[in-house]
């Protein structure tokens, strides 16, 4: 089976609900799509959603490298040889991990289709179902509570609250939310690097009775070393996100005293399924729990992340809501969400169906 054609396309996917985090407001998501067509009629699909503020890659740079390298590296290759080119991509596309993720996902999708098996079964299934959080951006207290009511009304039992712009307001919002919702609804928060150390300690003290799950990336990546000033419990309560891109970062974050007790793996940060699972394996060997997260992404890459998550024993949490607020997408299927619980379908590959 040979790859006879590589197609790259770019789509601007509007959000139905714009949202704000500590450093930006988002109204749409530009995604890149890769189609790998074979001489047997099978088509593998991948998608990438660059986050320039996180990985310093632009959508233009990702599109350029895909158009320059994808055809050169993969057209005309047998599928077996193409899979081995994933390692070549780590060099050729190192500066554009979202572009690398799009190719990686397309190849894994094609591999699953060639074997007529869901990808998770090829990788080695560990999990069958797991709840995901759903995210509420930074907004007024009343708006936050109304959105929380909407999501819990739809069956979601884990809310992720964006914080990091005003620590006093954050404490008030989180504490009010805890009182407002049912005790069986979990709350996790994401500061997106918005705090300094004093603000983070103030937030931890002010929300100590709110029964939070964890805090994602409280400090700027440049301040990771200062996490040593926290207690072991406080560091274990904190999760690495923006400071964790690749396996080398994962190893660096293991040096004692470990600054974080858990890792957030995103395919768009690390370059796809292969490297995501490598980070998860590092975490597993060192007793670090993993959450699989996302940007604003097509259902393509969300499904791919879920296959990887369900194939890793280190997986403890999901935060894979990135396609839920897209006004349109290029695919459907891939996974189902019922009362906030995610499951994969039994379709081959990553399970998505291309819409025409």
């Amino acid at each position: 089976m040979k790859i006879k054609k590589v197609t790259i396309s770019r789509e601007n996917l509007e959000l139905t609900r714009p949202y704000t985090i500590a450093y930006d407001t988002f109204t749409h998501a530009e995604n890149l799509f890769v189609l790998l067509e074979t001489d047997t009629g099978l088509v593998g699909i991948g998608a990438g959603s660059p986050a320039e503020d996180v990985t310093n890659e632009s959508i233009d740079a990702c599109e350029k490298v895909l158009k320059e390298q994808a055809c050169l590296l993969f057209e005309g290759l047998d599928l077996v040889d193409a899979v081995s080119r994933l390692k070549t991509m780590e060099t050729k596309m190192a500066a554009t991990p979202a572009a690398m993720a799009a190719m990686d996902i397309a190849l894994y999708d094609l591999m699953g289709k060639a074997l007529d098996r869901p990808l998770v079964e090829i990788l080695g299934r560990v999990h069958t179902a797991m709840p995901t959080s759903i995210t509420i951006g930074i907004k007024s207290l009343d708006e936050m509570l109304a959105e929380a009511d909407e999501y819990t009304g739809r069956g979601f039992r884990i809310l992720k609250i964006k914080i990091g712009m005003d620590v006093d307001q954050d404490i008030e919002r989180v504490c009010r939310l805890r009182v407002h919702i049912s005790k069986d609804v979990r709350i996790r928060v994401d500061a997106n690097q918005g705090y300094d150390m004093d603000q983070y300690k103030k937030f931890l003290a002010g929300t100590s009775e709110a029964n939070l799950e964890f805090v994602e990336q409280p400090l700027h990546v440049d301040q990771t070393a200062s996490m040593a000033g926290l207690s072991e419990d406080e560091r274990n309560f904190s999760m690495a996100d923006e400071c964790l891109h690749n396996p080398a970062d994962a190893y660096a974050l293991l040096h004692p005293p470990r600054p974080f007790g858990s890792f957030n793996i995103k395919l768009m940060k690390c370059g796809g399924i292969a490297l995501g699972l490598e980070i998860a394996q590092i975490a597993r060997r060192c007793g670090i729990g993993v959450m699989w997260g996302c940007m604003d992404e097509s259902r393509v890459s969300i499904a791919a992340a879920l296959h990887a998550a369900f194939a890793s024993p280190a997986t403890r949490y999901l935060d894979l809501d990135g396609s839920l607020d897209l006004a349109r997408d290029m695919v459907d299927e891939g996974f189902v969400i019922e009362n906030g619980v995610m499951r994969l379908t039994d379709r081959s590959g990553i399970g998505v169906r291309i819409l025409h």
Side-chain angles (χ1 to χ4, degrees):
M1 182 185 300
K2 293 184 181 296
I3 297 172
K4 70 174 185 179
K5 185 179 180 182
V6 180
T7 304
I8 312 298
S9 62
R10 177 171 171 172
E11 297 289 337
N12 190 355
L13 306 177
E14 296 291 330
L15 301 180
T16 59
R17 191 197 309 262
Y19 70 95
T20 298
I21 64 174
Y23 56 80
D24 208 347
T25 296
F26 302 91
T27 60
H28 66 278
E30 280 198 287
N31 277 219
L32 289 164
F33 293 87
V34 175
L35 295 180
L36 303 180
E37 301 178 46
T38 71
D39 55 3
T40 63
L42 294 180
V43 179
I45 183 169
S49 181
E52 190 166 3
D53 290 328
V54 178
T55 58
N56 296 315
E57 58 179 335
S58 67
I59 186 79
D60 291 334
C62 286
E63 184 177 27
K64 182 174 185 288
V65 75
L66 281 172
K67 288 183 174 179
E68 289 179 350
Q69 296 291 339
C71 294
L72 182 65
L73 289 173
F74 295 100
E75 275 192 355
L77 281 184
D78 187 273
L79 178 57
V80 174
D81 296 325
V83 171
S84 70
R85 287 282 174 92
L86 287 173
K87 291 296 182 184
T88 305
M89 286 199 311
E90 290 180 29
T91 301
K92 298 288 187 180
M93 299 184 183
T96 51
M100 184 161 60
M103 283 300 304
D104 166 282
I105 293 166
L107 283 168
Y108 273 107
D109 184 39
L110 194 54
M111 183 194 312
K113 288 173 177 172
L115 295 173
D116 196 25
R117 300 285 302 279
L119 178 60
V120 68
E121 305 297 348
I122 298 169
L123 297 174
R125 184 191 289 272
V126 179
H127 310 282
T128 57
M130 193 171 289
T132 182
S133 52
I134 191 164
T135 303
I136 300 177
I138 297 174
K139 53 188 60 182
S140 72
L141 177 61
D142 289 342
E143 289 175 314
M144 179 195 68
L145 295 179
E147 197 166 323
D149 288 341
E150 175 192 337
Y151 291 149
T152 55
R154 287 163 52 184
F156 288 93
R157 312 312 290 170
I158 311 173
L159 302 176
K160 186 168 96 166
I161 311 303
K162 293 289 188 176
I163 60 174
M165 289 183 69
D166 184 308
V167 66
D168 293 314
Q169 290 183 11
D170 291 342
I171 292 170
E172 180 186 10
R173 288 166 64 242
V174 168
C175 290
R176 288 285 299 276
L177 177 64
R178 180 70 280 169
V179 173
H180 180 78
I181 61 176
S182 171
K183 290 182 179 179
D184 68 344
V185 176
R186 288 182 269 167
I187 301 173
R188 56 185 63 155
V189 298
D190 184 0
N192 286 117
Q193 310 179 75
Y195 291 151
D196 60 26
M197 181 57 76
D198 289 340
Q199 290 168 330
Y200 186 37
K201 288 181 176 180
K202 184 176 184 178
F203 177 82
L204 290 174
T207 58
S208 61
E209 302 300 317
N211 194 29
L212 302 181
E213 272 194 304
F214 51 76
V215 179
E216 277 186 71
Q217 198 66 46
L219 309 183
H220 192 274
V221 294
D222 293 341
Q223 299 177 34
T224 299
S226 67
M227 292 286 290
L230 298 170
S231 70
E232 183 177 3
D233 286 345
E234 289 169 334
R235 285 183 277 113
N236 285 336
F237 189 62
S238 307
M239 177 181 286
D241 183 3
E242 283 90 343
C243 63
L244 172 64
H245 291 216
N246 51 47
D249 292 336
Y251 281 118
L253 292 173
L254 296 177
H255 293 305
R258 293 182 185 175
F260 301 101
S262 51
F263 289 170
N264 183 352
I265 300 175
K266 295 177 179 175
L267 301 190
M268 297 305 122
K269 290 188 302 180
C270 68
I273 294 168
L275 288 172
L277 287 172
E278 187 174 335
I279 295 171
Q281 182 68 357
I282 294 167
R284 180 192 180 194
R285 289 172 176 169
C286 299
I288 299 281
V290 163
M291 179 169 81
W292 296 81
C294 59
M295 313 299 185
D296 290 316
E297 301 176 24
S298 166
R299 203 173 182 93
V300 172
S301 47
I302 297 297
L306 190 59
H307 279 270
F310 281 2
S312 171
T315 301
R316 298 289 179 271
Y317 316 101
L318 298 180
D319 179 36
L320 293 177
D321 61 340
S323 66
L324 300 184
D325 282 337
L326 295 182
R328 68 181 183 91
D329 203 340
M330 308 304 290
V331 303
D332 62 7
E333 300 198 29
F335 58 86
V336 294
I337 301 180
E338 296 175 335
N339 294 319
V341 176
M342 301 188 78
R343 292 179 175 84
L344 291 165
T345 70
D346 59 1
R347 291 172 60 90
S348 63
I350 60 171
V352 298
R353 183 183 64 167
I354 300 172
L355 298 173
H356 296 288

